[in-house]
Each structure stands twice: as C-alpha cells, then as structure tokens.
Amino acid sequence: MSNGLTAYIEKDFEGTSLIIVSNREPYIHKKTGMTVKVDQPAGGLTSAMDDVLKATGGIWTAWGSGSGDREVVDAKSRVSVPPEKPSYTLKRVWLTPGEVDNYYHGYSNQVLWPLCHISLDRVYFRKRFWEDYKKANQSFADAVLEEADENSIVWVHDYHLCIVPEILREKKPELTIAHFWHIPWPDWSVFRVCPQAREILEAMLSNDLIGFQIPLFARNFMDCVRESVIDAETNYRQSTITFRGHTTRLKAFPISIDYDKFNTLASSWQTSRAIKKLKSKYALPDIVGIGVDRLEYTKGLIKRLQAINLLFERYERFRGKVTFIQIAVPTRLKEPYLSYKRSVEALVKKINDRFSTSAWRPVVYLDTKVEHKDLAAYYRMADMGIVSSAYDGMNLVGKEYVASQVDENGMLILSEFAGAADELEGAILVNPYDIEEFSDSIRKALTMAKEEKKERMSALRTQVRENDIYKWISDLLREMVFLSSSKQQKGSYFFDYTDTLHDSLAARRDSKAGKGRSPYFLFLDYDGTLTPIAESPDKARIAEEMRSLILELKKRVPVAVISGRALQDVKEQVGIEDIVYAGNHGSEIWDGERIVVSQHTDSSAQLLKNFLYALEQATAHIPGVFIEDKGVTASIHFRQVKTKVLSEFYELFTRIAKDYEQSFRITSGKKVFEIRPLDAWHKGDAVIWIMERMGNGRLPIYLGDDTTDEDAFRAIKNKGISICIGGSPDADYFLKDQDEVKDFLQWLAER
Ligand code: GDG
C-alpha cells in the first residue's frame, strides 16, 4: 500500500468504522476432502481493498460462495481474516442456489450487465430475477445492519447491490453510504428499457455518494433521474440530486491498478526468465501482441480478431513476423457466454487455418487463467497491447500493460469506448466497430518509430503511476469522511413524526398559552403537498379524501393554504370557502371573507407582461414550455420539454431573464422557474403577516415541498414546525409523499 494512503488512514480514519459490501468475497474457504483450504481470488481490486481493510480494520460483507465457507464462521457468520494475521472481519451472506441463479446469473448478469453495456439484445428479464434480486439485497443489507453503528461508513460495490442503500437508509438514516459503480451507466434512451428503472434509480438515491468511472456516466445517471424520478431535484452544476429530503452527490473516480506491483514484477529477473521460456514454448516470432480479458462479449474479442484477420489479409509482410497472444479466461459459464466462447474459438481457428505455416501461428489462444507473475511477462514482452471493448467502465488491462512496459518499447491500442480512454493519452484510440480503421491502427502501432513509441509510453506510464489504485481509494475515502463529518454537523432531518412531533405538540397543548383552544395554526402549500406534482398545473387535483380531511381539521384548527398559484385559482382548486388563502406566493391574501392583501400594481403587471411576451417569442419553437401568467407573478413550466432541447431552452431563458433581473426575483423549483417582483411578498412574509393578525399565540405548522416554501420554513425557524415533503435542509422534519401528508393530517384531526 502507498505511504500516502497509510498516512491518511492513520491520521484521518480514527474512530470511523468501514464496512465494505460486495458480491464477491476476498477470501474463499474450499473443502478438499476432510480439510478446508483458504483461497484469495486474484484481482487487483480485491487485493487493494484487502490492504485497506487490513490497515483500517472493519468489516467486509460478501456472499459466502465457497464450499467450506460455512465451516469456519461463528454464529453471526463472521470469520477473521487474513488467516495468517487476522486484522478485519469477513461477514458472509448466505444465498440459496435458487437465489444465486436469479439474483446473480439472472438480474445482475442478464439484465443490468448487458443493459449498462448497451447490449440490448442480450437483456433477458424474468419476474423471478427481480424478486430474488430484492431478496438477496435484503440479505446483504441485513448483514450490514447487524454490524453498523452511527459512525459507520458503508462502501457498496457495483451493480449487484442497487437496493442495499435504500434498505440501509430506511433502517439507519444516519449512516454514510457510498456506492461505487464499476461498469458504465448508459443514457436514458437505453436505461429506460429496464422494467425497474425508476425503482433502481430511487433506491440508489439513498446513497450519500455515487462514484462512477468517468464524468459521462455520472451525467447519464443524472439525466436518467431527471427523466424518470419526477420529484427529484437535479443540480447539474453541483452534481447533486435531492430526493425525499436526502442529497446524493455524483462524482467520477477513475479506478486504477497497483502500478508499483506490476512495474516491480515486470522488472524482475524472474520475468526476464519467464519471457525466454514463453518465447520458446510457443515458438514466438520477434513481434508479439497481447490481449488479456475475461471471455466476455463486452470486451470486443470478435472485433479484435476480425481486425487481426484483416491485417494479415491486407499486409502480407506481417505474416510469419507477428503473433497475437490472446488470454481469454472463461467467465460466467452459462449462456450467452458459452455461445460467445464457441464463436471466438471458431474465429481463432479460422485465422490459424488460413495463415499458419509450419513454423508460425498468427494467434496463440490461451483459455485458462494465467498466474500473476506470468501475466507481467506476457505484458512486458508484447510490442503491442490491445483493448477493444465494445463498452467498458474502465478496463484495467490497458493500465496493467502500461505499468509492465518497463522498456517502453510497446504501444497500447485502446477502444475509445473504454473508460480508460478518457485518461490514457498517448494510446492509439480505435473504434472497434470500424474493422478497417482498427486493422490500420494495428499496422500503425507495429510500424511506429521507436522514439515516438518511447515518448508516448513514457507519458502513459507517468499517468498510471501518478493515478494508481491507492490514489483512487484515498480519493474515495476522503470524500466519504468529508460527507460523514458534514452530516454529523448538520444533524439529520429525517422525520419520525410519531415520536418527536407528537411530543412537541403535546407539550404545546398542555402549556398555559395553548389551554382552551387549538394550539396550532396549520399552513398548507398546494401543489406537491396536497396534490402530487402533475405534468402541468391544470392536471393537479386535490383528492377528495384530502379535501375531507381539511374540512374536518378546519372545525378545530385555523387553516391557511399558501400557494404560488393565483389567489382565485388556488381557492377554486381547494374549494373550501371559509379558510385563509395566500396566492401568488403570498402577494395576495384572502382572510376567509375578503381579500385583505393585494400587491397587484398596473406598472409591475405590465413589466411582467413584457417579460413573458419576450419569453414566449423566443421559446415558441420549443414544444412543452408552458407560461403561466398570474398577474402579479408568473411560472414558466418546462416539465414537458424534451431533454434534447432542454439546454437550448435554459440558454434562451437565461438570456431573456438577464434583461429583467433588476425588477424580478427568479428562482427555480421542480421543473419550473418562478418569477416574482423583487418587492413582492414571499410565502414567509405571508405566514408572518397571517400569524401577527390571526395567530393568537398559536404554534405555526407549515407543510410545503418546493424551494419557494423554504422562505416560510426560514420565517418560522424556532417559532414553529416546518415539514418538507421530500425534505429540505431548512425544514425541521420530512415527509415522504402525499400518503404521509394524509397520515399526518389524519393524526392531527384526531387530536
Ligand atoms: C469491471 C469493469 C473495470 C484477466 N485474465 C487474467 C487476469 N485477468 C485480470 C486482468 C484485470 C482483470 O482481470 C480484468 O480487468 P477489467 O478492467 O477488464 O475488469 P472487469 O472484470 O470487466 O470488471 C471494468 C473493473 O470492474 C474495475 O472497476 O475496469 O470496466 O467491467 O486485472 O489482469 N488476471 C490473472 N490471470 C488471468 O488469466 N492473474
């Protein structure tokens, strides 16, 4: 482990307990006859994370997949690892063979994996896959919950465990949860194919942090949320999403490798000896190419072999001179992998049958796992490394090849669709779908001048050395520790009204001030509080049950409905005459009998009309923009504007709004821009005015959901109770949706 990371852990990790959750475990116990042997699955990531947990202590929760796994654990399914010097706990999760089939081979590998790699033909969905996926996620989450305390940082890995964060958040809201997504996140036009797209996105929004390999994947995730989670607030500038009172940060953390390990291994005399042995074993010519992959359709092996075939077909001069070695470790031994394996093998045979001579083979194909030390020899001796993924989160092979190129003689050919292409400047980038260009790039690599290769490889090596796996881990840990500490400062605003609010209301009711009359004054926002957010304002209707509740409540509690709608409009929508209404965000107030406040002036109304006319003219060609003129204020709704023209809309809106910013306050809400005269009252002013005139010492309780309600939350801070539907840092409490609003009003009505 790097000195930097060791020092960081020693200094800043004190007092934090780290819990890693992944599908695969870092140690597998296998039964061989009467004894149990322990195996450590090879893999850069597992061993780097293992190093970290050895230093921090903590818990790794993973599926117990080994035949001897159950024999070595305690009653809580825990075993101390590593066996030779125990320093952290491996907690195993048990899954039935049926669950493994449906959760792992099914939903994970036949739905999410192909979907995220834009291989839609391979997406195969069954209801039972999803049912067992949720069940398995519940088991992982239960295992974490048994171990976690309020200081725990939970680090979830990958696409097998999308639901875990949601379950954890519900049971232990104070946890810091981060999720690293190792594979690509596709754009919405692809992700929408998933029958559970919305459930998955919503569940993942329980994370405090979601790490992606490159910024594009974070942006895609953001777009998917914007398109399908109607009441989530996406903030592209800050890269955050707020949903149900909780904010999730999205950020790219490009994963890497243990550079020093590969560099040292490749420089060793054992590797030089291994290279000699390999050259003679396979009767290799002077020039060698290498590919190392799991036998996986996303890695583009067929395209790679087709390009090699074309190279030998077009350029006879390479025949007899170049051999390409493909290490292809079989993986997920089921369909569609078995068919893919057969296709790859048939193509290798075709090329070898066509071009081989008695002394030379164009392709050496190895379909078994190669030891790590031998891998370094293959990488170092190769004049060319090829990574040709059709789509790939990162791809570590390209980085391993670079770290092993100690002589700087080789060249890396890298698919532009692998996340690594974002960073590895100096590699020859290829589009693997374009076989001719691909084949030509191989030719270019094979004929590149020594000096150019050295220059490129040296730059690549610096890049990988300076951005190794330990930097990746410390960047992520730093972010998690930061989120964890800022959360502790702010305190949690998750709301369990059955305890806290009941107590505070009861205290108020019993106090002297409250004796003899209702102790509270109820303020209700309309859209998003009494009704769900609808496609457009005219479609938002209050449910009869909700209206009856208000009718019931108003017999005992003073009620005011405070809305951004025009006064007349909100009165008609709610349809109850003798309560207080505030329209236009508070600039018009009706006290139950008459209008008592109206800030309508002809001059400001005219200026607003000019503003709206300019907007209407500029955005007339963009379908889905709805301009609502409410006399004093206006709302520009853009929920129905298509994603592809959204940025054009933003641009136009911003340009025109600039001309009016001296006179109007412009804020954004849920897919809406609110325009209000600078001197007009906001909802907070209205609440204060109403309380001063009609409050009689009562406690204001304000329920709202939008950014414009935050003025009211702030106005009653420490003087009343604010409740945000969906949550807000300015509100005291949080309710999930209209069902919970109903429960709350019901409870209040029953007092
Ligand atoms: C996912 C994402 C992302 C392969 N054959 C042998 C062997 N390997 C090792 C390689 C390399 C690893 O397997 C494969 O790396 P990838 O990056 O291709 O990883 P995936 O399995 O697709 O995993 C990917 C990664 O997560 C990490 O976030 O980069 O984009 O799909 O380390 O060396 N290792 C040994 N013998 C072999 O025969 N020892």
Side-chain angles (χ1 to χ4, degrees), residues 639-710:
R639 184 170 295 281
Q640 292 180 51
V641 173
K642 292 265 180 297
T643 314
K644 60 176 191 294
V645 285
L646 213 66
S647 50
E648 188 190 350
F649 166 73
Y650 286 140
E651 231 169 74
L652 290 168
F653 181 85
T654 317
R655 185 160 56 72
I656 292 165
K658 268 216 150 341
D659 296 339
Y660 291 87
E661 64 190 10
Q662 303 296 333
S663 314
F664 293 97
R665 176 176 173 211
I666 299 162
T667 53
S668 61
K670 292 176 179 165
K671 315 264 162 119
V672 64
F673 287 117
E674 302 288 359
I675 302 173
R676 288 170 274 173
L678 277 184
D679 51 0
W681 283 7
H682 55 54
K683 290 181 173 180
D685 297 323
V687 170
I688 288 171
W689 191 90
I690 294 168
M691 284 306 293
E692 278 172 1
R693 306 275 174 316
M694 311 171 214
N696 283 330
R698 292 183 176 92
L699 178 83
I701 301 177
Y702 188 104
L703 273 78
D705 77 305
D706 205 358
T707 42
T708 59
D709 294 306
E710 287 175 351

Side-chain angles (χ1 to χ4, degrees), residues 169 173 205-208 231-233 241-248 487 490-495 670 705 710 724-731 733-737:
R169 180 67 69 212
L205 290 177
S206 293
N207 284 297
D208 293 299
D231 42 347
E233 286 289 297
I241 302 175
T242 304
F243 178 58
R244 294 180 182 164
H246 179 263
T247 297
T248 305
K487 187 182 279 208
K490 205 178 346 153
S492 163
Y493 43 85
F494 285 89
F495 170 41
K670 292 176 179 165
D705 77 305
E710 287 175 351
C724 186
I725 293 76
S728 153
D730 284 317
Y733 299 108
F734 154 72
L735 289 172
K736 229 164 51 187
D737 48 26

Side-chain angles (χ1 to χ4, degrees), residues 42-45 113 117 157-159 180-184 213 217 253-257 262 291-296 298-299 327-332 366-376 379 387 389 391-400 418-420 469 472:
L45 177 66
W113 176 271
H117 288 89
H157 282 268
D158 233 353
Y159 59 100
F180 188 77
W181 193 260
H182 289 259
I183 63 176
Q213 301 277 22
F217 302 152
F253 296 88
I255 199 168
S256 193
I257 58 155
F262 275 92
V292 179
D293 306 80
R294 289 187 295 107
L295 193 37
E296 162 61 63
T298 61
K299 304 291 178 187
I327 298 171
V329 191
T331 180
R332 307 174 187 173
L366 307 172
D367 65 356
T368 49
K369 197 167 170 65
V370 168
E371 293 270 317
H372 237 84
K373 58 181 181 22
D374 290 332
L375 202 57
Y379 282 142
V387 171
S389 319
Y391 209 21
D392 216 332
M394 176 54 59
N395 195 290
L396 299 176
V397 171
K399 295 188 176 184
E400 291 169 0
I469 182 97
W472 177 77

